[in-house]
Amino acid sequence: MAGYSGSGSQMDCSGKKPQLMYFNVPGRVAGLRMMMFTIYGKDGWEDRRVEFKDWPQVKATVPLQFLPILILPDSRKIHQADAMVRWAAKKAGLYPTDPDEALFVDEVISTVYEALSKAPRPSSLVTKEMLPGLWAEFTEGPMKMYFDYLQGRILGPFFRGVELSAADLTMYMLVSYFVNGEISFVSPDYVDGWPGIKANYAAVRAHPISKAYEAAYATDSDAIDQVKEFEKVDTSAIGKK
Protein backbone atom coordinates (compact mmCIF):
# COMPACT_ATOMS: atom_id res chain seq x y z
CA MET A 1 0.00 0.00 0.00
CA ALA A 2 1.24 3.44 -0.86
CA GLY A 3 2.18 5.70 2.02
CA TYR A 4 0.86 9.16 2.70
CA SER A 5 2.47 11.80 0.53
CA GLY A 6 0.33 14.79 1.42
CA SER A 7 0.76 16.08 -2.11
CA GLY A 8 -2.90 16.20 -3.07
CA SER A 9 -1.73 16.06 -6.65
CA GLN A 10 -4.43 14.04 -8.40
CA MET A 11 -6.50 16.15 -10.79
CA ASP A 12 -9.06 15.27 -13.46
CA CYS A 13 -7.79 16.03 -16.98
CA SER A 14 -10.93 18.07 -17.69
CA GLY A 15 -9.99 20.53 -14.97
CA LYS A 16 -13.29 19.96 -13.19
CA LYS A 17 -13.27 19.21 -9.49
CA PRO A 18 -15.05 16.37 -7.70
CA GLN A 19 -17.62 17.59 -5.19
CA LEU A 20 -18.65 16.08 -1.87
CA MET A 21 -22.04 17.28 -0.65
CA TYR A 22 -22.98 16.79 3.01
CA PHE A 23 -24.12 18.68 6.10
CA ASN A 24 -21.84 21.10 7.93
CA VAL A 25 -20.83 18.47 10.50
CA PRO A 26 -18.33 15.58 10.43
CA GLY A 27 -21.13 12.99 10.38
CA ARG A 28 -20.82 10.20 7.82
CA VAL A 29 -17.98 11.90 5.96
CA ALA A 30 -15.48 12.64 8.76
CA GLY A 31 -12.94 10.16 7.39
CA LEU A 32 -13.98 10.65 3.77
CA ARG A 33 -13.18 14.37 3.89
CA MET A 34 -9.68 13.52 5.13
CA MET A 35 -9.17 11.18 2.20
CA MET A 36 -10.49 13.73 -0.29
CA PHE A 37 -7.95 16.21 1.09
CA THR A 38 -5.19 13.60 0.91
CA ILE A 39 -6.00 12.93 -2.76
CA TYR A 40 -6.77 16.43 -4.03
CA GLY A 41 -5.37 18.88 -1.47
CA LYS A 42 -7.56 21.72 -0.25
CA ASP A 43 -8.21 23.30 -3.64
CA GLY A 44 -8.63 20.24 -5.86
CA TRP A 45 -12.13 19.31 -4.68
CA GLU A 46 -15.28 21.08 -3.49
CA ASP A 47 -16.49 20.47 0.05
CA ARG A 48 -20.13 21.49 -0.40
CA ARG A 49 -21.89 21.84 2.94
CA VAL A 50 -25.65 22.00 3.40
CA GLU A 51 -26.93 24.04 6.32
CA PHE A 52 -29.47 22.24 8.51
CA LYS A 53 -32.05 24.98 7.98
CA ASP A 54 -31.91 24.39 4.22
CA TRP A 55 -32.22 20.59 4.32
CA PRO A 56 -36.05 20.33 4.06
CA GLN A 57 -35.89 22.15 0.73
CA VAL A 58 -32.71 20.43 -0.49
CA LYS A 59 -34.00 16.97 0.41
CA ALA A 60 -36.73 17.09 -2.22
CA THR A 61 -34.09 17.69 -4.93
CA VAL A 62 -31.83 14.78 -3.96
CA PRO A 63 -32.40 11.51 -5.89
CA LEU A 64 -32.49 9.19 -2.86
CA GLN A 65 -33.30 11.98 -0.36
CA PHE A 66 -30.24 11.54 1.81
CA LEU A 67 -26.63 12.73 1.97
CA PRO A 68 -23.75 12.44 1.24
CA ILE A 69 -23.55 12.69 -2.53
CA LEU A 70 -20.30 12.54 -4.49
CA ILE A 71 -20.34 14.39 -7.81
CA LEU A 72 -17.56 13.26 -10.14
CA PRO A 73 -15.86 15.62 -12.61
CA ASP A 74 -17.93 14.06 -15.43
CA SER A 75 -21.10 15.08 -13.48
CA ARG A 76 -22.09 11.57 -12.42
CA LYS A 77 -23.68 11.57 -8.95
CA ILE A 78 -22.88 8.78 -6.51
CA HIS A 79 -24.85 7.89 -3.38
CA GLN A 80 -23.75 5.50 -0.56
CA ALA A 81 -20.98 6.71 1.72
CA ASP A 82 -19.34 3.29 2.07
CA ALA A 83 -18.85 3.09 -1.71
CA MET A 84 -17.30 6.56 -1.64
CA VAL A 85 -14.94 5.52 1.17
CA ARG A 86 -13.64 2.56 -0.83
CA TRP A 87 -13.23 4.70 -3.97
CA ALA A 88 -11.35 7.42 -2.09
CA ALA A 89 -9.23 4.93 -0.13
CA LYS A 90 -7.96 3.35 -3.33
CA LYS A 91 -6.99 6.74 -4.72
CA ALA A 92 -5.37 7.78 -1.42
CA GLY A 93 -3.32 4.60 -1.00
CA LEU A 94 -5.32 3.59 2.07
CA TYR A 95 -6.85 0.40 0.69
CA PRO A 96 -4.97 -2.95 0.47
CA THR A 97 -4.10 -4.42 -2.91
CA ASP A 98 -4.06 -7.94 -1.48
CA PRO A 99 -7.60 -9.42 -1.77
CA ASP A 100 -7.50 -11.06 1.66
CA GLU A 101 -6.37 -7.86 3.38
CA ALA A 102 -8.95 -5.89 1.40
CA LEU A 103 -11.66 -8.28 2.60
CA PHE A 104 -10.72 -7.52 6.21
CA VAL A 105 -10.89 -3.76 5.60
CA ASP A 106 -14.19 -4.15 3.73
CA GLU A 107 -15.67 -6.07 6.64
CA VAL A 108 -14.87 -3.24 9.06
CA ILE A 109 -16.29 -0.61 6.70
CA SER A 110 -19.49 -2.59 6.14
CA THR A 111 -19.90 -3.32 9.87
CA VAL A 112 -19.58 0.36 10.78
CA TYR A 113 -22.14 1.44 8.21
CA GLU A 114 -24.44 -1.42 9.19
CA ALA A 115 -24.35 -0.15 12.78
CA LEU A 116 -25.22 3.36 11.59
CA SER A 117 -28.06 2.05 9.44
CA LYS A 118 -29.69 0.46 12.49
CA ALA A 119 -29.44 3.57 14.66
CA PRO A 120 -32.74 5.29 15.54
CA ARG A 121 -33.79 8.16 13.30
CA PRO A 122 -36.98 10.15 12.66
CA SER A 123 -39.42 8.58 10.21
CA SER A 124 -43.11 8.16 9.61
CA LEU A 125 -43.09 5.58 12.43
CA VAL A 126 -40.53 7.18 14.78
CA THR A 127 -41.41 10.55 16.26
CA LYS A 128 -38.91 13.01 17.72
CA GLU A 129 -40.30 12.27 21.18
CA MET A 130 -39.42 8.59 20.83
CA LEU A 131 -35.77 9.15 19.96
CA PRO A 132 -34.22 9.51 23.46
CA GLY A 133 -35.69 6.20 24.61
CA LEU A 134 -34.82 4.43 21.39
CA TRP A 135 -31.23 5.65 21.56
CA ALA A 136 -30.96 4.43 25.15
CA GLU A 137 -32.07 0.97 24.02
CA PHE A 138 -29.76 1.04 21.01
CA THR A 139 -26.63 1.99 22.94
CA GLU A 140 -27.34 -0.62 25.62
CA GLY A 141 -27.94 -3.37 23.08
CA PRO A 142 -26.97 -3.38 19.39
CA MET A 143 -24.33 -0.65 19.59
CA LYS A 144 -22.51 -2.48 22.38
CA MET A 145 -22.50 -5.60 20.22
CA TYR A 146 -20.97 -3.73 17.30
CA PHE A 147 -18.38 -1.94 19.42
CA ASP A 148 -17.37 -5.20 21.13
CA TYR A 149 -16.88 -6.86 17.76
CA LEU A 150 -15.02 -3.97 16.16
CA GLN A 151 -12.71 -3.56 19.13
CA GLY A 152 -11.78 -7.22 18.80
CA ARG A 153 -10.72 -6.64 15.19
CA ILE A 154 -8.16 -3.94 16.05
CA LEU A 155 -4.60 -5.29 16.00
CA GLY A 156 -3.33 -2.02 17.49
CA PRO A 157 -3.17 0.80 17.24
CA PHE A 158 -4.87 0.48 13.83
CA PHE A 159 -7.04 -2.32 12.51
CA ARG A 160 -4.11 -3.64 10.44
CA GLY A 161 -1.49 -3.01 13.11
CA VAL A 162 0.83 -0.06 12.48
CA GLU A 163 -0.65 0.83 9.08
CA LEU A 164 -3.55 3.26 8.72
CA SER A 165 -6.29 2.19 6.32
CA ALA A 166 -9.82 3.06 5.29
CA ALA A 167 -11.02 0.80 8.10
CA ASP A 168 -9.57 3.18 10.69
CA LEU A 169 -10.94 6.30 9.03
CA THR A 170 -14.38 4.70 8.87
CA MET A 171 -14.22 3.78 12.56
CA TYR A 172 -13.01 7.30 13.29
CA MET A 173 -16.17 8.58 11.63
CA LEU A 174 -18.39 6.43 13.86
CA VAL A 175 -16.59 7.34 17.08
CA SER A 176 -16.68 11.04 16.15
CA TYR A 177 -20.47 10.92 16.27
CA PHE A 178 -20.27 10.17 19.98
CA VAL A 179 -17.26 12.17 21.15
CA ASN A 180 -18.25 15.29 19.19
CA GLY A 181 -21.76 15.34 20.59
CA GLU A 182 -23.43 14.82 17.21
CA ILE A 183 -25.80 12.37 18.89
CA SER A 184 -27.26 14.56 21.59
CA PHE A 185 -29.12 11.68 23.23
CA VAL A 186 -25.85 9.89 24.11
CA SER A 187 -23.13 11.03 26.52
CA PRO A 188 -19.79 11.86 24.82
CA ASP A 189 -18.04 9.47 27.24
CA TYR A 190 -20.04 6.48 25.93
CA VAL A 191 -16.97 5.22 24.08
CA ASP A 192 -14.92 5.09 27.30
CA GLY A 193 -16.09 1.51 27.76
CA TRP A 194 -13.93 0.42 24.80
CA PRO A 195 -10.27 1.40 25.43
CA GLY A 196 -9.11 -0.26 22.22
CA ILE A 197 -11.50 1.84 20.16
CA LYS A 198 -10.48 4.98 22.06
CA ALA A 199 -6.81 4.20 21.36
CA ASN A 200 -7.60 3.67 17.69
CA TYR A 201 -9.41 7.01 17.57
CA ALA A 202 -6.46 8.74 19.24
CA ALA A 203 -4.02 7.12 16.80
CA VAL A 204 -6.03 8.39 13.83
CA ARG A 205 -6.10 11.88 15.34
CA ALA A 206 -2.31 11.77 15.71
CA HIS A 207 -1.62 10.48 12.20
CA PRO A 208 -0.02 12.86 9.65
CA ILE A 209 -3.11 12.64 7.40
CA SER A 210 -5.33 13.86 10.22
CA LYS A 211 -2.86 16.51 11.33
CA ALA A 212 -2.48 17.86 7.78
CA TYR A 213 -6.25 17.98 7.32
CA GLU A 214 -6.83 19.78 10.63
CA ALA A 215 -4.09 22.31 9.84
CA ALA A 216 -5.54 23.04 6.41
CA TYR A 217 -9.05 23.61 7.78
CA ALA A 218 -8.12 25.14 11.13
CA THR A 219 -10.14 28.30 10.48
CA ASP A 220 -13.29 26.42 9.45
CA SER A 221 -15.96 25.30 11.91
CA ASP A 222 -18.67 22.66 11.96
CA ALA A 223 -22.25 23.29 13.02
CA ILE A 224 -22.34 20.56 15.67
CA ASP A 225 -24.02 22.99 18.07
CA GLN A 226 -27.00 23.10 15.70
CA VAL A 227 -27.64 19.36 15.80
CA LYS A 228 -30.18 19.64 18.63
CA GLU A 229 -32.17 22.21 16.69
CA PHE A 230 -32.08 20.03 13.59
CA GLU A 231 -33.47 17.11 15.61
CA LYS A 232 -36.62 19.18 16.11
CA VAL A 233 -37.21 19.48 12.36
CA ASP A 234 -39.71 16.95 10.98
CA THR A 235 -38.41 16.03 7.55
CA SER A 236 -40.08 12.61 7.24
CA ALA A 237 -42.77 13.89 4.89
CA ILE A 238 -40.51 16.02 2.70
CA GLY A 239 -40.48 14.83 -0.88
CA LYS A 240 -43.51 12.54 -0.53
CA LYS A 241 -46.22 12.78 -3.20
Side-chain angles (χ1 to χ4, degrees), residues 221-241:
S221 60
D222 296 312
I224 295 174
D225 60 333
Q226 298 176 19
V227 170
K228 287 188 178 181
E229 290 302 313
F230 182 59
E231 289 166 353
K232 300 176 184 177
V233 177
D234 183 4
T235 63
S236 60
I238 299 294
K240 290 186 177 180
K241 303 295 185 182

Side-chain angles (χ1 to χ4, degrees), residues 4-98:
Y4 169 63
S5 66
S7 61
S9 59
Q10 295 191 32
M11 178 64 69
D12 181 78
C13 60
S14 68
K16 294 182 178 179
K17 299 178 182 180
Q19 304 172 41
L20 181 62
M21 184 177 179
Y22 191 66
F23 301 108
N24 189 25
V25 292
R28 288 175 176 255
V29 300
L32 180 56
R33 282 182 178 139
M34 284 192 209
M35 286 191 281
M36 293 293 284
F37 171 73
T38 302
I39 301 162
Y40 299 106
K42 189 171 184 179
D43 300 322
W45 65 293
E46 292 186 29
D47 186 11
R48 293 177 55 184
R49 302 199 178 201
V50 176
E51 298 295 334
F52 287 131
K53 63 181 178 60
D54 298 327
W55 175 235
Q57 290 72 43
V58 174
K59 183 179 180 182
T61 70
V62 175
L64 296 182
Q65 298 191 355
F66 66 82
L67 298 178
I69 292 179
L70 175 68
I71 306 173
L72 297 176
D74 63 7
S75 300
R76 283 182 292 172
K77 295 181 179 180
I78 309 298
H79 271 294
Q80 307 303 343
D82 55 335
M84 299 175 203
V85 165
R86 292 180 176 92
W87 166 84
K90 291 170 185 176
K91 284 180 170 286
L94 294 168
Y95 190 86
T97 56
D98 177 79

Side-chain angles (χ1 to χ4, degrees), residues 132-149:
L134 290 174
W135 267 104
E137 294 176 9
F138 183 69
T139 52
E140 286 299 313
M143 195 70 250
K144 278 189 173 181
M145 175 189 71
Y146 284 113
F147 269 21
D148 285 346
Y149 183 78

Side-chain angles (χ1 to χ4, degrees), residues 86-123:
R86 292 180 176 92
W87 166 84
K90 291 170 185 176
K91 284 180 170 286
L94 294 168
Y95 190 86
T97 56
D98 177 79
D100 292 345
E101 289 296 311
L103 178 63
F104 175 77
V105 170
D106 282 339
E107 185 212 23
V108 173
I109 293 171
S110 295
T111 301
V112 168
Y113 279 102
E114 179 179 290
L116 275 179
S117 73
K118 294 184 177 181
R121 67 190 67 195
S123 69

Side-chain angles (χ1 to χ4, degrees), residues 199-231:
N200 176 260
Y201 179 81
V204 173
R205 290 290 304 271
H207 193 276
I209 283 180
S210 179
K211 291 293 187 183
Y213 176 84
E214 290 178 2
Y217 294 90
T219 60
D220 297 347
S221 60
D222 296 312
I224 295 174
D225 60 333
Q226 298 176 19
V227 170
K228 287 188 178 181
E229 290 302 313
F230 182 59
E231 289 166 353

